Every structure is written in structure tokens, then in C-alpha cells.
Amino acid sequence: MSESEKNYADYVKHLSNLMSGMLFLAGFTFTVVTILLTRLPDSSSVQSQLILLFFTVFFYLLIFLASHFAIEVIYYCESIPQLSIKTKITNTLVVLVILLVGFAFPLLFLLWELTLLATISSLIWTFFAIAIFLFVYVPFQKWRSRIH
């Protein structure tokens, strides 16, 4: 079997499973943080904020990996359609949703008047958003422009 005839279906399934697992864990982590915020007796203590920050960074890492796996799957498709206006709009909305999801934690922290934690998590999310752009989105756009 030549290089161009290889079947990547099993690998694509594996990547899809990884992405699904990362998104499941991200949802679980979001739920944990929400429950902790509402149930902790003193969410403004240093210990509570460090634990919330840990879960926040874990959530951001899961979103980064899920974004990576979502794009990685496309590289193994036999053919992808030309980039149309509809596809561009959809891609833009997906990127917007990913960016807005990352700011959910800082907004939750602001609701509980955890200003320092909201600021730190916003800065960390900004770092992760830049990383997603540089290491996931830009290489995909270069690859897509090369194949069409």
C-alpha cells in the first residue's frame, strides 16, 4: 500500500475519542468549579483560590487539547471542500465560541468578587487563546491554503 493510499480511519477515530474525552473532562471541570464556588464556606481564602486556579488552568488545557484534536482530524480527511462564505462564517463562530468559553471562569469569579483570581485567570486564558491561535489555527490555515 502506497503512502497516498493509507487508511487513517482508525487514527481519526482515536483522535475523535481523545477530543470527546477532553471535552467531557472540561465540562466536568466547569461543573466542579461552579459547585465549589457555591459551596465553599470561604471562597476568598488563599487555599480556595489556589484550588479554583488549578481547576481553571486544567480546564484551559483541556480546551486547548480539544481544539488541537478537532483540527488534527481534518488533516487526515481524504478531501475537504473549498472554503466558502458559509464555511468561513462557521469557522469564525467556532473560534468566537472557543474564545468566549474561556472567559466564563473569570466572569464567574467576578460574580463572587474574586477580582485577583478573575484577573489571573483572564491573563492565563489570553495566553491559551494566543497558543490556540499560533499552534492550531495558523498552521491549519496555512495547510488549507496549500491544498486548495
Side-chain angles (χ1 to χ4, degrees):
M1 182 177 277
S2 73
E3 184 69 25
S4 62
E5 295 173 345
K6 284 188 179 179
N7 184 353
Y8 293 107
D10 289 338
Y11 187 63
V12 167
K13 286 181 199 173
H14 172 70
L15 289 175
S16 295
N17 287 338
L18 284 174
M19 183 181 60
S20 296
M22 296 296 141
L23 291 173
F24 175 79
L25 286 173
F28 177 77
T29 305
F30 191 88
T31 303
V32 166
V33 169
T34 304
I35 290 171
L36 284 175
L37 278 173
T38 58
R39 300 291 180 193
L40 283 172
D42 182 18
S43 59
S44 63
S45 73
V46 174
Q47 183 181 16
S48 296
Q49 289 191 39
L50 286 174
I51 291 169
L52 290 168
L53 183 62
F54 169 79
F55 281 120
T56 301
V57 172
F58 182 58
F59 175 80
Y60 292 158
L61 183 59
L62 290 169
I63 295 298
F64 174 81
L65 290 172
S67 301
H68 171 72
F69 293 139
I71 296 299
E72 184 78 16
V73 167
I74 297 171
Y75 293 139
Y76 297 100
C77 294
E78 283 187 32
S79 64
I80 59 172
Q82 291 283 343
L83 195 59
S84 66
I85 296 294
K86 183 178 177 182
T87 309
K88 284 182 183 181
I89 291 171
T90 302
N91 290 346
T92 302
L93 289 174
V94 167
V95 169
L96 181 63
V97 165
I98 290 171
L99 289 175
L100 292 176
V101 162
F103 286 111
F105 279 150
L107 293 174
L108 281 174
F109 298 148
L110 284 175
L111 284 175
W112 269 266
E113 298 177 8
L114 302 170
T115 310
L116 181 61
L117 186 57
T119 304
I120 292 170
S121 61
S122 294
L123 291 173
I124 293 171
W125 176 244
T126 302
F127 168 76
F128 272 97
I130 291 168
I132 289 171
F133 181 76
L134 292 176
F135 299 116
V136 177
Y137 186 75
V138 169
F140 173 68
Q141 291 301 323
K142 287 180 183 175
W143 174 79
R144 189 169 180 113
S145 66
R146 243 190 359 255
I147 65 165
H148 284 294

